[in-house]
Amino acid sequence: MSDGDRHPDLDDFYGATDDLNNEWVDEDDDEDDESFYLDPEDIAMQIEEEEYEISDEDGDDEDDDEDEDPPYTVQVDGDNDDDDDDIIVEDDQQQTTINLAALLSRTGGERAALLARLLSGPVSSSGGIAARLNRSAQMSDEERARRAAERRRAERWWAPQEEPHPKGRALLRSGEFGNVGCWERKGKKRVKLAADPLMRPVQSTSEPTLPNTPGTIVASYESVPYVGQYCGDYNIFYAATQYFTLHLYSTNQPKTPHVRHARRRAVSPNVATSPRSPGAEPVVQDDDGDSEYEDEDAFGGFTYSRPRYGGEDTSMKKIKTVKGVEGRWTVTDADADRSGEKMIYSSITPYVHMLYTSEHDTEHVEFDFTSQRRRGAHDYFDHFGIWSIRFSADGKEIVAGAGSGLIMVYDINAQRRTLAVEGHQDDVNAVCFADEASTNILVSGSDDGYVKVWDRRSLSSSTPSGVLVGATEGITYIAPKGDGRYVVANSKDQAARLYDLRNMRSWSDFENESDAVIKYGQARFDYRQMRYNRPARLAHPKDCSVMTYRGHSVLRTLIRCHFSPLESTGQNYIYSGSADGLIHIWSLDGRIVQVLNRAESAPLRSPTGGYTDPSAPDVPRAQRFGAGAYESYGMNWTVRDVAWHGREPTLMSTCWEVEGQYRHGGSLAKHEWKGLGKGGVQKLEDWVDRRRAEMAG
């Protein structure tokens, strides 16, 4: 809606809410490009040299005990005659500071010497670490948000899409993305509207009912969650966490009976198991969350204390919690079939495991994606890690993307791998079936920067049917529209691109070239622990994408993007998680229509100890989970996955909690649409007053 179309009575309302759009803060903006960030991928790379072909996925390392001391307090010494006032550390912290300065002096080096000088003796109020901390502590939330917004705008190296892009508008009017109103097509006669207003077509743009709240935390985990999605008819939500634990929740009250299957052990022969968990047999956890499994494990030289897999607190209705078969380091992906009856999950191993979502079903089936080969007089087996898995629409096959460029298809009924192609020059982070009505077309995305299309009917080699170019860094995720034509792909060059498979290019144009990342990407860029600087080019010179969406941060992990649901939005939106904790929703025309700040989610429990109701009136901003810390120097949030409910305007976000180089587990949050008449707000004036009060307090 343009300002000219806005009703004058709504100026105050939009003015109050527009001010909130400048509130988003990227905590990483002030960090050095080479700041260290501990990530299990670094550990996995060490193992790759010894045993497996492993790369680019994420794990976790346990946090050290937090320092519960209050922040440094500083005071200005007004007795000094110098132009700059001196900052003096109070006595309770002075000795610690002096000791730290002495230690840095002994280590040597220019940086250590500089830090020692800053920490020892007075520091001028016009600069230095202490002065910056002091000014930050005294800064109001509004001033901090304003400065952060200015910094983000100054460092932005792309042009925001403020007006609908012609190509995106054409998509919305193509008829392939749902009804968004009445328009006249070329060569067609304009249809007259019925005289009776009740018989006229309804303009079904769903922007007024987009999820618009920071959300309420509905589940908290000690282990880092990697995947969170709906399945079935949106009546089940599942989350998969690092320590091979799957949490299944019911999103409605009634439960349908399921056939109970007999239990079957599933043990991967090449998976190291804990001495306290012989056979790595999957365990179904009781509703009380108790488990006798607790162990310590070592991985790549880092030792971590493995928490109880029942380390969960949730206000959702739990179906069951399943402790899966242990793989290597983490669950990398999970998926459910269309009926919502079966689930699969993978790890950095050649094995995929399947379970049933029924509450009392304990069967666990293992699918072996390896193949035995002969090299001389000896047999040998494949060794690789699986990064991405997807069910086919009929639930009979699984497509998997793995290390070393492998793309595989597994036949569940035949219990064997039926297809294996070395289709990329680097790890395959994303795979999917392009069509819900067929399993013929496969799509894969890799760290080589290419999205490739494969037609199984004519697949006889590692040559794809076509390639979708545009990204200059690795692909992190691919989501299909389901019609065999459109897919959206997230990439590490900080963009989500919408592709039309009918516009794919011939692989013969690229097969003799270096991959896109080597040729056009940033040298030595590591998305796991570095910022993405201004690139030399925004896209591959032969970019064939239809639209490009920017604004989110595709760093730290393989951030996921999706099409909005067909049932409620006609798939007219693209939405994605982000490493800075901001959930972005774009219209197909390129405009950002909603940004949700995950750092400001309401806490799981209220001050009285009960669970917070996601549908209750919004919690005041000062009481939201982590709102202050996010905007200063505290904990950061990384939204890895987001799921949009198809029957109601709500989102579920799967988030990590990060502080410095450590991750503290994660949580799920439910983001609802709350407008006038909901949450205790009955009048427009009340809405405006409440938003102004929150900004002021």
Side-chain angles (χ1 to χ4, degrees):
M1 176 186 297
S2 64
D3 293 342
D5 298 333
R6 183 181 299 168
H7 193 282
D9 294 340
L10 297 180
D11 287 342
D12 291 339
F13 167 68
Y14 282 101
T17 55
D18 288 345
D19 291 341
L20 300 180
N21 293 334
N22 296 328
E23 190 176 332
W24 318 121
V25 181
D26 188 346
E27 187 184 23
D28 296 335
D29 285 347
D30 281 338
E31 296 179 1
D32 188 84
D33 289 351
E34 298 179 356
S35 59
F36 176 75
Y37 181 79
L38 180 64
D39 195 288
E41 293 175 355
D42 301 327
I43 306 171
M45 282 181 163
Q46 299 174 9
I47 294 184
E48 174 183 313
E49 298 176 356
E50 302 172 2
E51 184 175 359
Y52 278 73
E53 293 291 337
I54 299 174
S55 68
D56 288 357
E57 196 26 274
D58 309 274
D60 190 30
D61 193 15
E62 290 301 309
D63 182 25
D64 295 334
D65 293 336
E66 295 183 12
D67 185 5
E68 298 181 355
D69 292 335
Y72 284 109
T73 56
V74 294
Q75 62 184 14
V76 178
D77 184 5
D79 297 333
N80 197 316
D81 295 332
D82 296 336
D83 293 337
D84 292 331
D85 294 332
D86 292 335
I87 301 298
I88 300 177
V89 182
E90 291 185 352
D91 293 340
D92 57 346
Q93 302 290 343
Q94 187 172 7
Q95 189 59 45
T96 301
T97 306
I98 293 174
N99 294 340
L100 180 58
L103 177 62
L104 289 170
S105 297
R106 289 196 297 268
T107 60
E110 294 182 0
R111 291 188 178 182
L114 178 60
L115 287 173
R117 289 175 57 192
L118 290 173
L119 290 171
S120 60
V123 180
S124 68
S125 61
S126 60
I129 297 174
R132 289 180 61 190
L133 291 174
N134 187 48
R135 289 196 298 268
S136 177
Q138 296 177 356
M139 192 182 301
S140 66
D141 289 341
E142 291 77 8
E143 179 65 15
R144 186 180 295 111
R146 185 187 66 79
R147 292 191 179 187
E150 290 179 354
R151 183 175 66 250
R152 288 170 63 88
R153 284 193 292 268
E155 295 181 354
R156 184 183 295 156
W157 43 262
W158 69 93
Q161 189 70 42
E162 298 179 354
E163 297 295 331
H165 193 283
K167 291 184 178 180
R169 183 179 295 173
L171 284 174
L172 290 171
R173 297 184 174 182
S174 66
E176 296 178 314
F177 286 89
N179 180 25
V180 292
C182 299
W183 57 84
E184 182 178 359
R185 293 187 182 180
K186 293 182 178 180
K188 299 288 184 180
K189 292 184 178 180
R190 187 168 185 173
V191 180
K192 291 185 178 180
L193 299 179
D196 186 353
L198 296 179
M199 299 299 293
R200 294 181 180 178
V202 178
Q203 185 171 343
S204 60
T205 176
S206 53
E207 185 170 336
T209 55
L210 296 179
N212 60 359
T213 60
T216 300
I217 294 177
V218 294
S220 179
Y221 307 114
E222 294 180 2
S223 179
V224 175
Y226 273 67
V227 183
Q229 284 295 316
Y230 290 102
C231 65
D233 191 22
Y234 301 99
N235 58 346
I236 296 175
F237 187 88
Y238 65 88
T241 62
Q242 179 188 358
Y243 296 132
F244 309 99
T245 306
L246 295 99
H247 305 268
L248 283 77
Y249 306 98
S250 174
T251 59
N252 52 15
Q253 292 300 319
K255 291 185 179 180
T256 57
H258 293 272
V259 178
R260 182 167 182 171
H261 298 264
R263 180 169 181 150
R264 191 167 81 191
R265 267 171 76 128
V267 182
S268 298
N270 292 334
V271 175
T273 60
S274 164
R276 299 189 187 181
S277 57
E281 185 174 356
V283 179
V284 178
Q285 179 182 324
D286 296 331
D287 288 340
D288 58 7
D290 294 334
S291 172
E292 297 180 356
Y293 182 85
E294 184 175 12
D295 196 13
E296 291 187 355
D297 201 358
F299 194 89
F302 290 85
T303 302
Y304 60 89
S305 176
R306 180 167 301 222
R308 295 179 181 270
Y309 68 80
E312 167 201 16
D313 190 10
T314 180
S315 60
M316 301 177 69
K317 180 174 177 153
K318 183 159 56 174
I319 298 176
K320 64 181 178 181
T321 299
V322 178
K323 180 64 177 69
V325 175
E326 287 193 43
R328 300 186 68 85
W329 188 250
T330 181
V331 168
T332 54
D333 201 4
D335 191 35
D337 66 350
R338 295 184 64 183
S339 66
E341 296 180 354
K342 297 180 291 186
M343 278 189 60
I344 50 177
Y345 64 94
S346 61
S347 181
I348 312 176
T349 69
Y351 305 96
V352 172
H353 296 89
M354 185 177 73
L355 57 97
Y356 292 85
T357 60
S358 176
E359 179 178 6
H360 302 291
D361 199 315
T362 59
E363 183 178 10
H364 223 83
V365 183
E366 179 183 275
F367 302 135
D368 186 351
F369 276 69
T370 64
S371 66
Q372 188 175 9
R373 304 179 184 178
R374 292 194 62 83
R375 179 183 294 164
H378 303 282
D379 293 339
Y380 73 99
F381 293 86
D382 298 325
H383 293 284
F384 50 81
I386 294 177
W387 301 116
S388 178
I389 50 175
R390 284 294 173 270
F391 267 116
S392 62
D394 57 11
K396 296 180 179 180
E397 291 182 308
I398 301 171
V399 61
S404 302
L406 275 177
I407 305 166
M408 300 166 288
V409 175
Y410 191 94
D411 189 313
I412 296 177
N413 294 330
Q415 294 283 295
R416 65 184 181 89
R417 191 178 76 178
T418 58
L419 176 66
V421 176
E422 294 182 5
H424 290 269
Q425 299 181 40
D426 211 328
D427 291 350
V428 179
N429 296 325
V431 290
C432 65
F433 290 95
D435 197 342
E436 292 185 352
S438 171
T439 61
N440 291 326
I441 306 299
L442 304 176
V443 183
S444 60
S446 167
D447 275 329
D448 61 15
Y450 290 129
V451 176
K452 294 184 178 181
V453 182
W454 310 85
D455 190 337
R456 297 172 63 186
R457 294 166 295 187
S458 59
L459 184 60
S460 58
S461 65
S462 297
T463 302
S465 299
V467 58
L468 301 169
V469 297
T472 58
E473 301 290 348
I475 306 299
T476 67
Y477 193 77
I478 298 175
K481 183 176 180 290
D483 60 356
R485 293 183 177 180
Y486 294 98
V487 296
V488 60
N490 248 356
S491 54
K492 298 172 187 176
D493 59 358
Q494 314 305 298
R497 290 179 174 85
L498 179 65
Y499 292 102
D500 186 338
L501 271 61
R502 294 168 293 186
N503 297 336
M504 64 185 180
R505 297 186 180 275
S506 172
W507 177 241
S508 60
D509 297 338
F510 306 92
E511 60 181 347
N512 295 323
E513 297 181 1
S514 302
D515 65 48
V517 175
I518 294 176
K519 192 167 185 179
Y520 301 108
Q522 296 188 11
R524 297 181 297 279
F525 168 63
D526 188 342
Y527 78 107
R528 298 165 298 180
Q529 55 191 3
M530 295 173 62
R531 292 171 55 194
Y532 187 75
N533 296 321
R534 181 187 298 271
R537 58 173 68 245
L538 293 180
H540 193 287
K542 296 183 179 180
D543 182 12
C544 64
S545 62
V546 180
M547 286 292 299
T548 301
Y549 308 94
R550 296 188 184 274
H552 58 317
S553 176
V554 189
L555 299 170
R556 288 187 173 171
T557 183
L558 303 180
I559 302 294
R560 302 183 168 208
C561 62
H562 305 275
F563 285 96
S564 62
L566 173 65
E567 299 88 343
S568 59
T569 70
Q571 297 178 303
N572 292 331
Y573 301 93
I574 304 294
Y575 64 104
S576 175
S578 183
D580 57 9
L582 303 180
I583 302 166
H584 286 71
I585 303 176
W586 298 269
S587 170
L588 285 181
D589 61 25
R591 295 173 300 126
I592 297 177
V593 296
Q594 192 65 266
V595 179
L596 308 177
N597 191 345
R598 184 60 168 78
E600 294 190 356
S601 296
L604 175 63
R605 292 186 177 272
S606 65
T608 60
Y611 290 116
T612 305
D613 182 4
S615 299
D618 284 346
V619 175
R621 184 173 181 273
Q623 300 178 16
R624 293 176 191 159
F625 185 74
Y630 177 82
E631 295 171 356
S632 57
Y633 295 96
M635 190 174 291
N636 188 17
W637 280 259
T638 294
V639 179
R640 192 178 195 272
D641 201 2
V642 193
W644 193 325
H645 198 291
R647 309 294 184 189
E648 57 188 42
T650 61
L651 284 174
M652 291 286 287
S653 61
T654 302
C655 185
W656 296 357
E657 298 169 9
V658 183
E659 186 169 8
Q661 62 185 6
Y662 300 104
R663 283 175 254 196
H664 298 271
S667 59
L668 306 176
K670 185 176 183 180
H671 307 259
E672 295 189 350
W673 174 79
K674 293 183 181 180
L676 298 177
K678 187 172 184 180
V681 181
Q682 301 297 331
K683 298 179 180 179
L684 181 61
E685 292 81 1
D686 295 338
W687 175 278
V688 176
D689 291 343
R690 184 180 69 176
R691 304 305 283 183
R692 286 177 173 173
E694 289 185 358
M695 289 299 298

